[in-house]
Amino acid sequence: MSQISVNNLTFHYEGSFDNIFENVSFSINTSWKLGLIGRNGKGKTTFLNLLQGKYQYSGSMDSNTKFEYFPYCIPDAQLSLSAAEFVEDIKPGCETWKVIRELSQLRETAEILYRPFNTLSFGERTKILLAVLFSDENDFLLIDEPTNHLEQEARECIKDYLASKKGFILVSHDRDLLDACIDHVLVLNRKTIEVQSGTFSSWWENKQRKDQFAIAENEKHRKEIKKLKQAAKRTSEWADKNEHTKIGFDPIKEHDRFIDTRSFIGTKTKKMQSRVKQIEKRIEREIEEKEGLLQDLECLADLKLVQLDHHKKLLVNVKDYGLKYSNVKVPVFPELSFSISKGDRIAMHGKNGCGKTTLIKMILKKSGCGLIQSEIEEKGLCEVASGLVISYVSQDTSGLAGQISDYCIKHNLNQSLFCTMLRQLDFDRSQFLKNMEDFSDGQKKKVLIASSLLTPAHLYIWDEPLNYIDIFSRIQIEKLILDYQPTMLFVEHDIRFREKIATHTIEFS
């Protein structure tokens, strides 16, 4: 057990407008199970890279700990090899028997170590790399979003596995995973950084309470400042009016006044002016106390959606439907029956590779919105309503490149509305000057989601939309869907999102 002490850490990327971290100080313990929480682009992965010494920074980060980062980078040349052949390359000194021991805790056999890595599912690959990561008990582990693209069963397995371990920082936007696996949180707020004991839910409850207190205190200070300003204005006006009576008077109307009265009036005016200065000092103190109250407040803007109304109630009808690639004997899925009517929000749930994305692409193709390159054999019925307009979010963000203005022209989007939507999803204005290929993975997904929300449609089809999306934006999107209740077909492995949003679930076997 040791401490990692961060003192006056300041860091910015070359050419960046703002600091990612500025004079940040905190300390953490290497025996903790620490959840790292923050908005997309706030510096979570950057902080992990700083711990590994990948960037130059000012300030100090003191620790005698050896760090190990997940996910490992597997070169393309090694993907055709078995993991047993390259684990020594990605983690020097790694012993195979220790990896097999960890795999057993992940409910996997040693057999997957000896199969070509590129033939394994996402879940199997993740389990192997986690087993390699935890094979050395002396490292402090930096785990960056281990469950993206994984189906529910693999997530549950990894959740149970991480819950039994300690000595790591876990970056994740999966609320269920964080609650099960961590005992401390390190939160990158808007302006500050805080370390707190507990799970995500306990921190979120405390934050909501703290934000409400800050709002109440801010309102109290605002009202007090308003009252003080009014009092200062009145007193100043009285002082000025009193001062003007020093010179000149009507001896008939003011028979009790003499030249010597001027000094009395001057003294009275001076007292009034002194009172004005005292009030102004109180105003300054109130403003100082007010400053900073709302600096970390998470204002989740209400997103908007314009849905088209189709003349038919039944939009998609699938009955005894099966798909099979022409060059493969085993079908993608044998028979499936379901329908999508207006107002339905259908969640598709199943293991990776069970055919969810393939089915989505077939529905897109039949509506004239997509094209499948491979030859696929169909059986049964899959029909979509004529004139159906679909707004689609792909799980793949690799095609995003160039300026936002070019993207808006290509997709016929109003650039002003598009940028406003991204701002509501917590994009900083400086991001609009970057090329999209330089965005974080979460920011790229927000581009796709904003594009979908601004595209009026009868049906919204989203394929794993929340991968890399921060927790706060997930809450915004949940509220949007519950408020507007669009017709949807979606794949999402975040169990809390699925339970809140879905009206029906299709289970793929």
Side-chain angles (χ1 to χ4, degrees), residues 27-43:
S27 63
I28 56 178
N29 195 300
T30 57
S31 67
W32 291 350
K33 301 191 285 187
L34 184 69
L36 181 52
I37 300 169
R39 286 273 197 176
N40 293 129
K42 287 297 179 186

Side-chain angles (χ1 to χ4, degrees), residues 157-173:
C157 179
I158 289 170
K159 180 177 75 174
D160 294 341
Y161 179 72
L162 291 178
S164 69
K165 302 294 184 179
K166 65 178 181 178
F168 59 77
I169 295 178
L170 172 63
V171 177
S172 177
H173 302 302

Side-chain angles (χ1 to χ4, degrees), residues 264-319:
F264 169 74
I265 294 173
T267 302
K268 187 177 178 181
T269 300
K270 189 175 181 181
K271 287 183 178 179
M272 287 183 178
Q273 290 172 337
S274 175
R275 187 183 175 193
V276 170
K277 289 181 179 179
Q278 290 174 356
I279 294 174
E280 287 173 346
K281 287 181 179 179
R282 282 188 62 191
I283 291 173
E284 289 176 3
R285 286 199 300 270
E286 288 287 342
I287 290 173
E288 285 177 5
E289 291 178 15
K290 184 175 180 290
E291 285 177 349
L293 280 172
L294 304 182
Q295 64 177 356
D296 288 331
L297 189 68
E298 285 292 346
C299 297
L300 303 182
D302 288 339
L303 304 176
K304 294 183 178 180
L305 175 73
V306 179
Q307 186 178 199
L308 299 177
D309 185 26
H310 200 276
H311 62 279
K312 284 188 176 181
K313 182 179 179 181
L314 184 64
L315 303 182
V316 178
N317 185 30
V318 176
K319 187 173 182 181

Side-chain angles (χ1 to χ4, degrees), residues 338-353:
F338 70 94
S339 62
I340 305 175
S341 298
K342 285 196 289 188
D344 287 343
R345 297 187 297 277
I346 310 292
M348 294 194 290
H349 180 230
K351 291 185 176 182
N352 296 119

Side-chain angles (χ1 to χ4, degrees), residues 347-408:
M348 294 194 290
H349 180 230
K351 291 185 176 182
N352 296 119
C354 66
K356 302 184 295 295
T357 298
T358 305
L359 177 60
I360 284 174
K361 289 181 178 179
M362 288 302 297
I363 293 174
L364 290 171
K365 179 182 177 182
K366 291 178 182 294
S367 68
C369 299
L371 178 64
I372 289 186
Q373 301 294 337
S374 305
E375 288 293 327
I376 293 186
E377 299 174 5
E378 301 176 78
K379 72 170 185 178
L381 176 69
C382 177
E383 58 181 6
V384 301
S386 61
L388 186 70
V389 178
I390 296 176
S391 181
Y392 173 56
V393 172
S394 171
Q395 59 178 278
D396 181 19
T397 62
S398 60
L400 292 177
Q403 291 286 312
I404 281 180
S405 56
D406 297 328
Y407 181 86
C408 290

